[in-house]
Amino acid sequence: MRAVVFEGTRTVSVEEVPDARIEEPSDVVVRVTSSAICGTDLHMYDGRTGAEPGMVLGHEPLGVVESVGDAVTMVERGDRVVIPTHLYCGVCVNCARGLSAACLRVRPGGFGAAYGYAGMGCYRGAQAELLRVPFADANCVPVPGEPDDVFEDDFAMLPDAFVTGWHATELASVSAGAAVAVFGAGAIGLLSAYSALLKGAEEVYVVDQVPERLEKAAEIGATPVDFRAGDPVEQIRDLRRASGLPPGEEPLSGVDAGIDAVGFQACDRLRPGEENPTQVISDLAHLVNPGGHLGIIGVYAEKDLSPAPRGHTDGRLSVPWATLFAKGVSVRFGRTHDRRYTVLLRDLILSGRAHPSVIVTHHGPVEEAPALYRVFDRRADGVIKAVLRP
């Protein structure tokens, strides 16, 4: 089968690799019809997280079940399924608690696993024609319709991007009427903003510097904030004051909830072109109102092979804890427990309430993966979310 293979820093290729096959009775093999490229794939592409050459990339698959292990009872050959990024057993203590991203059985000696992800188990990635899915009864989410129908791109956002954006709003305790700031207008930031709007947030600000991303933020109904034009904290405070704060709330010109959808590769605003992994957290600490909430969904890697000046190889950072403590801000972060949300969000799509495909900008056959990785890595040519069609 053809698959997207990591060769080395900023180099991927499309190669023939052994076909995915049934290895355990609880497995299925899925023929992939769509597989998106994620910003997290770039952490490996950029050589930051220790991906080994030969690794098949990708963790956002949608497809059709092609073969079924003898122990599988919930899906059958021909079923169309979404496969969440974080595979899980479904029955261990953590899975029973709804912590599917912290499954105790899928990665011996650790917890949690993902497809095509450095340090997250031995599972081959989904940017391929075929994908082996372990514990298939737990990990296959049935969806209606046929490949390439009107829901193809919407469903392709369900393995990771849409559920992660929704999870970000859960971490940040976003509620109806809230003022929300999302830093980062990549796919996850945009779908965090989109999820906040679906939840009834009154104002959603999205901070970035890439014009196409800011335009997309406006398209989904958020207020774009270009940090090249000045301190985004002050820009948002000015916008909030200009819109008119309720009587007695004039000192609360910040936001109720903040979301970091950037992570450890954040840009330093005072040193263009240089990374500063503490920039977004520092900005949000000063922007969130007292008693507010902060959700960290951007990735902070435990191993960074090329850290920025304010970062460390082991992921340590200096964070303004005193500011957060003084304000009584709750801070929550971590990987997405996909299976809490996949059915809910699938049904929002089917009801016509949600269209996460609004962020998809590019499509291509698997052979175009190297070119799409290159432009996506440079944030060039308007690539926000690319979907491969193996």
Side-chain angles (χ1 to χ4, degrees), residues 97-312:
R97 292 171 174 164
L99 305 175
S100 59
C103 176
L104 300 175
R105 297 177 63 199
V106 288
R107 182 159 58 99
F111 58 89
Y115 302 96
Y117 206 120
M120 291 291 287
C122 61
Y123 305 95
R124 283 201 299 184
Q127 289 168 12
E129 292 181 300
L130 299 169
L131 178 71
R132 172 191 168 230
V133 181
F135 302 105
D137 281 337
N139 287 278
C140 290
V141 181
V143 292
E146 302 291 335
D148 299 322
D149 65 10
V150 295
F151 291 121
E152 183 80 9
D153 281 348
D154 285 321
F155 289 155
M157 298 301 99
L158 276 176
D160 183 11
F162 194 16
V163 295
T164 300
W166 191 273
H167 183 57
T169 66
E170 293 285 302
L171 293 176
S173 299
V174 173
S175 59
V180 181
V182 179
F183 279 63
I188 302 303
L190 288 169
L191 287 177
S192 297
Y194 188 69
S195 297
L197 290 164
L198 283 172
K199 287 185 169 186
E202 182 178 356
E203 301 170 80
V204 179
Y205 303 92
V206 177
V207 179
D208 207 286
Q209 65 172 334
V210 179
E212 294 87 351
R213 292 181 171 191
L214 294 167
E215 290 169 8
K216 185 65 71 172
E219 181 183 333
I220 66 173
T223 300
V225 176
D226 188 340
F227 67 73
R228 296 172 302 174
D231 183 343
V233 173
E234 292 308 313
Q235 288 191 64
I236 292 171
R237 289 189 182 278
D238 288 343
L239 288 167
R240 294 268 289 139
R241 286 189 285 259
S243 66
L245 294 165
E249 296 185 19
E250 290 82 3
L252 301 178
S253 60
V255 294
D256 306 303
I259 292 171
D260 171 3
V262 180
F264 75 112
Q265 290 185 282
C267 298
D268 191 302
R269 288 191 283 102
L270 299 180
R271 301 173 182 82
E274 183 177 310
E275 287 184 8
N276 177 358
T278 70
Q279 182 71 72
V280 169
I281 296 176
S282 297
D283 285 343
L284 284 169
H286 290 95
L287 178 61
V288 174
N289 286 329
H293 308 280
L294 179 55
I296 311 292
I297 201 64
V299 171
Y300 287 87
E302 288 187 89
K303 177 167 61 174
D304 184 354
L305 300 184
S306 182
R310 293 167 183 77
H312 296 80

Side-chain angles (χ1 to χ4, degrees), residues 58-146:
H59 54 264
E60 298 184 89
L62 166 69
V64 176
V65 176
E66 183 154 295
S67 55
V68 181
D70 292 341
V72 176
T73 62
M74 301 296 287
V75 294
E76 57 187 34
R77 191 174 188 275
D79 285 351
R80 189 187 194 191
V81 292
V82 163
I83 309 299
T85 293
H86 299 100
L87 60 156
Y88 77 127
C89 75
V91 296
C92 74
V93 171
N94 277 352
C95 288
R97 292 171 174 164
L99 305 175
S100 59
C103 176
L104 300 175
R105 297 177 63 199
V106 288
R107 182 159 58 99
F111 58 89
Y115 302 96
Y117 206 120
M120 291 291 287
C122 61
Y123 305 95
R124 283 201 299 184
Q127 289 168 12
E129 292 181 300
L130 299 169
L131 178 71
R132 172 191 168 230
V133 181
F135 302 105
D137 281 337
N139 287 278
C140 290
V141 181
V143 292
E146 302 291 335

